[in-house]
Amino acid sequence: MNDDEPVLLHTEGHSLHITLNRPRALNALTHTMVRSIDEALTLAEQDDAVTAVVISGAGERGLCAGGDIRSIYEDARAGRRASVDFWRDEYRLNARIARFPKPYVALMDGIVMGGGVGVSAHGDVRIVTERSRVAMPETGIGFVPDVGGTYLLAAAPGELGTHLALTGQAVGAADTLLCGLADHFVPSERLAELTAALALCTTAAGVTQTVGRYVTTAPEGELATHRSWIDSCYAADTVEEIIGRLVDSGEPAAKETAGTLLSKSPTALKVTLAAVRRARRLESLEAALDQEFRVSCRAFAGPDLVEGVRAQIIDKDRRPTWHPAEPGDVTDADVARHFEPLGELELGLASG
């Protein structure tokens, strides 16, 4: 094990530990890291002595803040296609995690965003702590929730998933559990003890029983108290109507949310709403990932992703100039183009 490697592997008893090891970049995923995780899963699947896989992030700040946005920005500006190749392998990894035959334990401690959700929330044992902040913040950079995020959010109660997808709001442990993005709350101070206990488990049932001994009640969240206006406002058919309902609801939090939406990429908002609604009708995660791959490729070729990353990450002026600038200027045809088949470039997970 080389501490300079972006993904560290070590075996502890019957557990294979995968540690994302770019703490100064909040463990943001690169293509090399995606390949390394996939290779680790192959090792774990073939080794009868390994009962469970445990994934965590190095450092104190979080599991993973998403993909390497700077690399995607530079790739798009240069007219290259490396990001598309990255997404192809990343989404395949997301699907593999969801179908992995052994317990896949994700320690969703600290910041878990974008691609970090993809390598954790598809696992079958998903643990959050009091430090967890989970989000799919893509609309703020002119992108659309991916890594199976639309599929996960589409399954959240009521319109909570729509709210999180459009706003990109980060939520804590209780709200992550409420939305079905995690399964258990374990205090962060007990994670080391939990992982040591998992190393002793020789069966999948033993993993489940062991995790259960450390689970407790999460601190109270926020979303449950806002369900009434969230469900009412986000049930609207269009982004414009959603914003109108938020403004007119009489709820201060709803009006503030309207302002948040108006700061996001109008194209990303409209495509995201369509993607989540479409995901509700899809039969599998694989079908949703196929859809997200089409959308990601089209967003990569548009102007808002580069501009959004510039404003939020590169120049940090927080003043993106979106094209089009208003939701009303984004046509139904503009949205529909994002979902058109890619021909021979299709991801093809659902048909594979």
Side-chain angles (χ1 to χ4, degrees):
M1 185 173 65
N2 184 344
D3 287 347
D4 293 330
E5 293 295 322
V7 174
L8 305 179
L9 303 180
H10 78 277
T11 301
E12 183 178 345
H14 295 281
S15 298
L16 176 66
H17 286 259
I18 301 173
T19 304
L20 307 184
N21 188 42
R22 296 182 69 216
R24 284 181 289 184
L26 268 171
N27 300 317
L29 291 173
T30 64
H31 203 161
T32 296
M33 294 170 73
V34 165
R35 293 192 183 109
S36 295
I37 297 168
D38 188 65
E39 291 168 1
L41 294 184
T42 298
L43 291 173
E45 191 169 351
Q46 295 174 348
D47 189 344
D48 291 340
V50 172
T51 300
V53 170
V54 181
I55 190 166
S56 61
E60 299 296 324
R61 298 170 64 193
L63 171 66
C64 173
D68 190 336
I69 298 299
R70 284 181 178 269
S71 293
I72 294 171
Y73 169 82
E74 293 165 1
D75 192 38
R77 287 192 71 199
R80 297 189 295 263
R81 301 278 293 175
S83 297
V84 173
D85 295 334
F86 165 63
W87 290 324
R88 186 181 295 277
D89 285 344
E90 183 183 25
Y91 299 175
R92 285 173 174 163
L93 175 63
N94 301 146
R96 184 178 189 184
I97 289 169
R99 309 300 179 212
F100 196 66
K102 297 180 180 181
Y104 182 97
V105 182
L107 304 183
M108 301 170 69
D109 186 32
I111 293 174
V112 185
M113 296 184 179
V117 173
V119 297
S120 60
H122 298 301
D124 49 2
V125 184
R126 306 166 300 174
I127 295 168
V128 285
T129 77
E130 76 285 354
R131 302 188 298 201
S132 296
R133 299 297 294 170
V134 180
M136 296 297 297
E138 286 77 9
T139 58
I141 58 167
F143 199 51
V144 177
D146 64 339
V147 297
T150 61
Y151 187 76
L152 294 166
L153 293 173
E159 295 293 337
L160 292 179
T162 310
H163 171 66
L164 295 184
L166 294 183
T167 62
Q169 178 182 339
V171 294
D175 290 332
T176 303
L177 294 166
L178 173 63
C179 291
L181 302 176
D183 307 298
H184 309 291
F185 174 81
V186 175
S188 59
E189 63 185 15
R190 301 204 71 191
L191 290 181
E193 185 182 347
L194 167 61
T195 55
L198 288 174
L200 304 176
C201 297
T202 58
T203 64
V207 170
T208 301
Q209 293 168 0
T210 297
V211 170
R213 295 202 301 268
Y214 292 85
V215 171
T216 186
T217 302
E220 187 174 353
E222 301 176 4
L223 290 181
T225 61
H226 298 303
R227 275 292 301 274
S228 59
W229 64 260
I230 287 175
D231 287 351
S232 173
C233 294
Y234 286 96
D237 292 331
T238 67
V239 169
E240 295 94 321
E241 189 178 355
I242 289 171
I243 292 173
R245 289 189 185 187
L246 290 168
V247 171
D248 295 338
S249 71
E251 293 282 350
K255 189 171 183 179
E256 181 180 343
T257 298
T260 297
L261 293 183
L262 288 170
S263 72
K264 309 296 184 183
S265 160
T267 299
L269 288 177
K270 286 203 163 182
V271 175
T272 295
L273 180 62
V276 172
R277 296 274 164 87
R278 287 172 178 240
R280 288 176 178 169
R281 302 191 296 269
L282 297 176
E283 295 182 353
S284 67
L285 169 63
E286 287 80 1
L289 287 164
D290 285 344
Q291 174 177 278
E292 290 173 356
F293 187 69
R294 296 180 196 118
V295 170
S296 297
C297 289
R298 296 284 163 38
F300 181 72
D304 278 3
L305 177 58
V306 168
E307 173 61 7
V309 176
R310 180 207 64 76
Q312 300 296 335
I313 308 296
I314 307 300
D315 297 339
K316 299 183 179 179
D317 58 26
R318 309 292 192 266
R319 296 174 63 86
T321 301
W322 304 121
H323 297 283
E326 301 291 338
D329 295 331
V330 182
T331 69
D332 291 344
D334 293 333
V335 175
R337 272 194 293 273
H338 286 74
F339 297 90
E340 292 175 356
L342 298 169
E344 62 181 15
L345 297 178
E346 281 282 292
L347 183 61
L349 283 171
S351 58

